[in-house]
Amino acid sequence: MQHLTDLFITIQGWLFDTFVQPVLFALGLASYVEMGFEGVEFVLLGCIELVIAYLLMRPLEAWWPAEKWAERRAVKVDIIYSVLNRMGVIPLVVFVLLAPVFMELESWLRFHDVIPRQLEDWLPGLDTKPLASFVIYLVILDFAEYWRHRLSHTFGWWWALHGIHHSQRQMSFWTDSRNHLLDDVIAGVWFACLSLLIGVPPGHFIGLLIALRLVENLSHTNTRLDFGTIGDYLIVGPRYHRWHHAIDLPADPRFQKGCNFAILLPIWDILFGTLYLEKGLPPTGIHERNAEEIAARDNFWAQQKLGLVLFWKALTGPGKSRSA
Ligand SMILES: [Zn+2]
Ligand SMILES: [Zn+2]
């Protein structure tokens, strides 16, 4: 393990010295050096996460697919999203946009003594138990992710963006990153704000993000493999999330906006009455309403444009949230 950590730090240092530092100095941004170094770590871990996801999940799709496809053309656009997201382009944009705001916000909160006591302050023994504190933070963040996801199906303006994630009819592990760029920014702000407010230790932050991302990749995998009758109620798997992506919503009015919003732990759907888990593996997608929406199904730029148009319409008029 130590060898791997050393190798990681060596690569991080090389990337930083070769590409990032010269650019920062050239742009007169020397004060961002430390942030730049952390940014490289973020990008590098994103790449590693994507390689792990590919090595673990691509064989599942090849050997035990939920759906067999005649061709994989529709998957291409999701690969673009994954590369942009995991290789750091989107996180970098979010980071550049948010870093100054966050620094301000953090110092304001600290100045006014609002920065919450960390979990370790409430549970004193916890700082000697990093695994326990990791799990507790994971559960809290997952709870917040459940509500972010559920609200993105509830508000018309948010569904205008999140609908892009649902428009994929050939869902694969790449589909996890298929999100409108603005939706990514909102999700990034949501996650970062909460992490700040509950005082996630910086050492945990990336680990938490990677743990959630791997589960999210797996839950989109086109495979009939599941976690078993009990396991599927304990952790979100491919069958569980496929029902969330089902093209037709369950008839029950409780699921008018969707079902199975949980990202990691089904317990939130169970507690808040949004669980719907049947035996089968339904087809995925949404029913597009016009030719423009159909044309956007496989096209990155058309999706970005459509999302913004619908977003604006929803903000300025009666928007449509997720509905059958
Ligand atoms: Zn959704
Ligand atoms: Zn999804």
Side-chain angles (χ1 to χ4, degrees), residues 107-177:
S107 55
W108 187 90
L109 288 172
R110 280 195 192 286
F111 183 75
H112 290 85
D113 221 11
V114 182
I115 272 293
R117 299 139 58 96
Q118 297 200 341
L119 212 56
E120 280 78 359
D121 301 328
W122 298 100
L123 302 165
L126 213 59
D127 34 358
T128 54
K129 298 188 183 69
L131 187 64
S133 91
F134 182 86
V135 170
I136 294 173
Y137 280 115
L138 192 61
V139 172
I140 298 172
L141 287 169
D142 187 52
F143 171 74
E145 284 294 286
Y146 168 86
W147 280 104
R148 179 186 61 76
H149 189 191
R150 188 165 169 182
L151 292 177
S152 70
H153 281 244
T154 310
F155 296 126
W157 61 266
W158 212 341
W159 174 251
L161 304 172
H162 184 58
I164 307 272
H165 179 70
H166 282 265
S167 64
Q168 177 56 280
R169 295 193 177 206
Q170 291 189 359
M171 190 171 83
S172 68
F173 71 94
W174 301 104
T175 308
D176 172 46
S177 298

Side-chain angles (χ1 to χ4, degrees), residues 75-115:
V75 175
K76 273 189 198 153
V77 70
D78 294 359
I79 299 178
I80 298 175
Y81 279 107
S82 298
V83 171
L84 286 176
N85 187 296
R86 301 295 201 255
M87 305 284 169
V89 179
I90 292 168
L92 199 71
V93 172
V94 174
F95 184 75
V96 169
L97 285 176
L98 292 184
V101 182
F102 256 83
M103 289 208 305
E104 282 293 313
L105 180 69
E106 193 169 3
S107 55
W108 187 90
L109 288 172
R110 280 195 192 286
F111 183 75
H112 290 85
D113 221 11
V114 182
I115 272 293

Side-chain angles (χ1 to χ4, degrees), residues 160-267:
L161 304 172
H162 184 58
I164 307 272
H165 179 70
H166 282 265
S167 64
Q168 177 56 280
R169 295 193 177 206
Q170 291 189 359
M171 190 171 83
S172 68
F173 71 94
W174 301 104
T175 308
D176 172 46
S177 298
R178 177 193 177 100
N179 292 300
H180 195 279
L181 300 185
L182 185 56
D183 204 10
D184 266 328
V185 173
I186 298 170
V189 174
W190 181 283
F191 193 83
C193 280
L194 193 82
S195 304
L196 181 72
L197 281 172
I198 62 173
V200 173
H204 276 351
F205 184 78
I206 288 176
L208 288 164
L209 202 60
I210 294 216
L212 284 171
R213 281 174 166 188
L214 272 174
V215 175
E216 284 177 283
N217 275 130
L218 181 63
S219 67
H220 290 90
T221 302
N222 172 31
T223 182
R224 56 176 192 272
L225 219 71
D226 57 41
F227 296 151
T229 315
I230 297 173
D232 269 344
Y233 287 90
L234 298 177
I235 192 147
V236 171
R239 182 164 72 99
Y240 192 97
H241 198 63
R242 180 167 277 270
W243 277 104
H244 175 71
H245 278 262
I247 189 160
D248 292 307
L249 291 169
D252 191 323
R254 278 185 304 150
F255 306 122
Q256 222 184 0
K257 306 285 180 212
C259 59
N260 299 5
F261 298 107
I263 305 294
L264 177 66
L265 303 168
I267 186 77

